[in-house]
Amino acid sequence: MYTALARIEERLADIEVAALRVSYLNSRSTLIERAKAIEAIPGFWSTVIDEAPAEIDGRIQPRDVPVLNCLKAIDVERYEVQNEANGEPRSIKLTFSFKPNQWFHDDKIEKHFSWRMSKKGWSGLVSEPVTINWKGRDLTDGLLDMAVSLRKKEQELEANGQERGLISASKEYALLVEKAQRTPQDAISVFALFGFRGHRVTAEESTAAIKMKKDMVDGVQEWRELDEESPPLPDTEIYPHGEEVAIALSEDLYPGATQYFTAAKERDANLSDEDPVSESGSEDQENGVDYEANEQQPSKRMKLSR
């Protein structure tokens, strides 16, 4: 009885994925047109990020803000989509374009997130670390470069036919684990997103897991419950919130950018129409009392310029 219901729920989930694929293809040309219109609006993306949902806003450090002010464009591509019937639409490529700045040489930074499934039942986004060519201070305090170095070491071992498990004995592994453990999660720059890797599920493993699950749904294999809970991330993960941030960017901030921008401008217009000093505030200032100055201010990142 429950098996039949579970199979139906899986088919409904597949319908949602197919709808996402079609929606992306239908909206892509319009979003490209929107991007061209945005180019004529100064500070558009810094204003949008200033209005970002908590999944993004809560990850931005004060030192990130001046760099984000240099953003020219954000683009989201569902790069595995081939047509209305083929391609995984949950895999995304994020592209960030920047004006010339004092922090890094790159004018464009891209990051691919591939949707994968494990045979145990987990599914989600995995990625490869991306290098940022810093001019001076590394906003991630070395974490990103360490993640890139570790991945290069892994690829070196793989090319030599050595087992993946040997990486834990490498110098690169030890340095990154130590650094990651010493760095408070709430102090990590949002630019560590480019070092996010997620769970180690290869494309081949994922293809086999997807086929196994499809066979169970279609009745080719006996149905069994899978553990869809996310297992602990590896000790070398420098940005555990990477999947959450990537999804918020691609499914909330990017498609809703115009609404976020408009809401910010409307609020600013309303604030400018208000009297900045109330009568009671004026009396307090006349009496030499500044309650606002005496009140302890919360630790909050500075606003992005508009």
Side-chain angles (χ1 to χ4, degrees), residues 46-246:
S46 59
T47 300
V48 170
I49 289 182
D50 198 28
E51 297 295 310
E55 295 88 345
I56 300 170
D57 181 79
R59 304 300 173 194
I60 297 175
Q61 303 296 329
R63 64 183 182 277
D64 298 327
V65 174
V67 191
L68 294 174
N69 275 327
C70 298
L71 259 178
K72 287 170 54 181
I74 296 176
D75 186 39
V76 176
E77 292 181 60
R78 299 190 181 275
Y79 68 97
E80 291 187 345
V81 172
Q82 302 167 23
N83 51 50
E84 291 188 358
N86 298 289
E88 176 50 68
R90 288 166 290 190
S91 293
I92 57 175
K93 180 177 80 169
L94 301 180
T95 302
F96 301 85
S97 300
F98 293 88
K99 297 179 289 187
N101 61 78
Q102 68 189 61
W103 292 276
F104 43 74
H105 296 281
D106 313 270
D107 59 1
K108 185 177 290 186
I109 308 175
E110 296 179 349
K111 174 86 167 165
H112 290 75
F113 297 82
S114 302
W115 187 88
R116 298 274 169 81
M117 176 182 287
S118 75
K119 284 192 173 182
K120 292 183 178 180
W122 172 86
S123 62
L125 299 178
V126 303
S127 187
E128 293 283 332
V130 176
T131 298
I132 294 179
N133 297 298
W134 305 103
K135 290 181 179 179
R137 179 190 180 189
D138 174 354
L139 295 178
T140 71
D141 197 22
L143 280 170
L144 179 55
D145 286 346
M146 287 182 177
V148 171
S149 294
L150 178 65
R151 182 56 183 141
K152 287 180 179 178
K153 184 65 176 180
E154 287 179 354
Q155 291 170 330
E156 179 185 317
L157 293 175
E158 292 166 3
N160 293 330
Q162 295 175 283
E163 294 182 9
R164 187 189 301 180
L166 291 175
I167 192 64
S168 60
S170 69
K171 175 186 68 175
E172 290 83 357
Y173 181 93
L175 288 172
L176 180 53
V177 169
E178 180 188 8
K179 179 72 173 177
Q181 291 177 345
R182 286 192 291 108
T183 305
Q185 283 298 312
D186 58 1
I188 296 177
S189 164
V190 74
F191 285 89
L193 171 67
F194 294 101
F196 167 77
R197 293 188 63 184
H199 295 294
R200 309 299 193 261
V201 181
T202 67
E204 294 75 19
E205 290 172 309
S206 183
T207 298
I210 291 169
K211 183 181 184 305
M212 179 191 71
K213 191 166 188 178
K214 184 178 186 303
D215 287 347
M216 288 195 297
V217 172
D218 294 342
V220 177
Q221 285 190 33
E222 182 180 355
W223 179 268
R224 62 184 176 85
E225 291 295 327
L226 298 175
D227 183 6
E228 297 183 357
E229 291 296 318
S230 177
L233 287 165
D235 292 339
T236 52
E237 178 57 64
I238 70 168
Y239 203 65
H241 317 291
E243 180 175 13
E244 178 185 31
V245 172

